[in-house]
Amino acid sequence: MTLKIVREDATKESAMLNIIIADDHEIVRSGLIMLIEQQEGMSVADNASSFDELMACLARRAYTLLILDLNLGDKNGMESIESVSARHPELPILVLSAYPEDPYALQAFRAGASGYLNKAVIGAELVRAIQTVAKGKKYISPTLEESMPYGTDLGKQEKAMTAALSKRELEVLSFIARGSSYKEIAAELGVSPKTVSTYRTRILEKLNLSSTTELLRFAFEHDIAAY
C-alpha cells in the first residue's frame, strides 16, 4: 500500500507545472499565485521581484515555465527575454505585461518569448496561455489574432505562400523581419531605398497583406528571419 502511494505522488509531481513568476509588483505576484494555485496540475514554485532575483532562482533549479513582466526595474524590455533565453533556452517564457500586444508581442516573440498577454487579460485566458506554452507551443491571444489575419497554424500554407516570392523578395522580407530599415537593406543589397520600398509593395501584393504589421506577423509565423 505504501509503495502504491509513493508511485501516485511521483506521477502527480512529474505532471505538475512548476511555474516561476517574475514581476516587480507584489500585488501582481500574489494575485497570480492565488489564481495559478487554484488550477489542477499547476504550482508556483518560486517568484521573483527583480531580474537578478529571477536569474538566481533559475540557477538553483529547473522550472516548467516562466511568467515574465517586461518591466522588472533592474532590467527592462526585450533584453530580459533575450538574456533568459540565452542562458535557459529550454525554458518557455510567457510575457505578462502592461504594454499593449501590438507592437510589443511580435518583438517579444523575436526575442525568444513563447507567448504574450496584456495584464488586462482575464484569468481563464492566462490559464489557457500557460497550458499552451507549457506544451511547447506559441500562444497568441485572440486580441492579437483579430488585428493580424494570419493565425498560429500556418504550416499547411507555408510552402505555397513563400514559393510565391522571388529569391530577392524573400531576401528583402528576411531583412524586414530582422528589423532592418529601408536604408540598411538598400546598403546590403546594393540598391536604392526606393527599390526596397517597391519590393515591399510587391511582397504585400503577392501575400495578400495590407500592412507592415501583417508582414511581420507572416515573417514570424514562417521563420523568415532565418532565411
Side-chain angles (χ1 to χ4, degrees):
M1 179 64 68
T2 302
L3 180 59
K4 181 178 181 181
I5 293 174
V6 170
R7 285 178 176 174
E8 287 179 348
D9 288 344
T11 300
K12 184 176 180 180
E13 183 176 349
S14 64
M16 182 71 68
L17 299 182
N18 292 312
I19 299 167
I20 179 169
I21 299 169
D23 193 293
D24 61 342
H25 291 93
E26 182 180 356
I27 191 169
V28 174
R29 298 196 308 274
S30 298
L32 289 173
I33 292 171
M34 185 179 299
L35 172 65
I36 292 170
E37 291 288 350
Q38 291 175 350
Q39 310 305 315
E40 184 177 355
M42 295 184 188
S43 175
V44 178
D46 282 303
N47 68 93
S49 61
S50 68
F51 183 80
D52 286 344
E53 191 176 335
L54 168 63
M55 297 311 290
C57 289
L58 295 179
R60 288 196 300 267
R61 61 175 296 182
Y63 302 90
T64 310
L65 181 143
L66 163 64
I67 297 178
L68 176 68
D69 180 20
L70 286 183
N71 188 2
L72 289 178
D74 54 346
K75 198 179 194 74
N76 299 329
M78 304 304 157
E79 188 179 352
S80 59
I81 303 175
E82 293 172 348
S83 296
V84 173
S85 295
R87 300 183 199 182
H88 305 276
E90 75 292 343
L91 178 65
I93 301 173
L94 174 60
V95 175
L96 184 62
S97 173
Y99 297 128
E101 292 169 292
D102 188 7
Y104 292 99
L106 286 176
Q107 296 177 33
F109 283 123
R110 289 198 293 272
S114 297
Y116 190 103
L117 287 175
N118 182 269
K119 284 185 176 178
V121 68
I122 62 173
E125 186 176 353
L126 175 60
V127 172
R128 285 196 299 272
I130 291 173
Q131 293 169 335
T132 300
V133 171
K135 293 176 183 177
K137 300 179 180 179
K138 300 287 186 183
Y139 183 83
I140 299 173
S141 74
T143 301
L144 193 59
E145 288 276 14
E146 190 173 325
S147 65
M148 297 180 179
Y150 284 90
T152 59
D153 184 13
L154 299 179
K156 296 178 181 178
Q157 303 177 40
E158 182 171 353
K159 183 176 180 181
M161 297 191 76
T162 55
L165 303 179
S166 68
K167 182 178 179 181
R168 178 49 63 93
E169 288 166 347
L170 192 59
E171 192 173 13
V172 169
L173 179 54
S174 70
F175 278 114
I176 294 176
R178 292 195 291 269
S180 300
S181 66
Y182 286 3
K183 186 175 180 180
E184 291 170 336
I185 298 172
E188 287 287 339
L189 300 180
V191 297
S192 69
K194 184 177 180 180
T195 298
V196 174
S197 178
T198 299
Y199 276 121
R200 172 189 171 276
T201 300
R202 290 178 185 172
I203 294 168
L204 288 172
E205 290 174 350
K206 287 186 176 183
L207 298 179
N208 195 28
L209 303 176
S210 59
S211 68
T212 299
T213 300
E214 292 181 11
L215 192 62
L216 288 172
R217 173 58 182 276
F218 178 88
F220 164 72
E221 291 289 353
H222 292 79
D223 200 19
I224 299 297
Y227 278 69

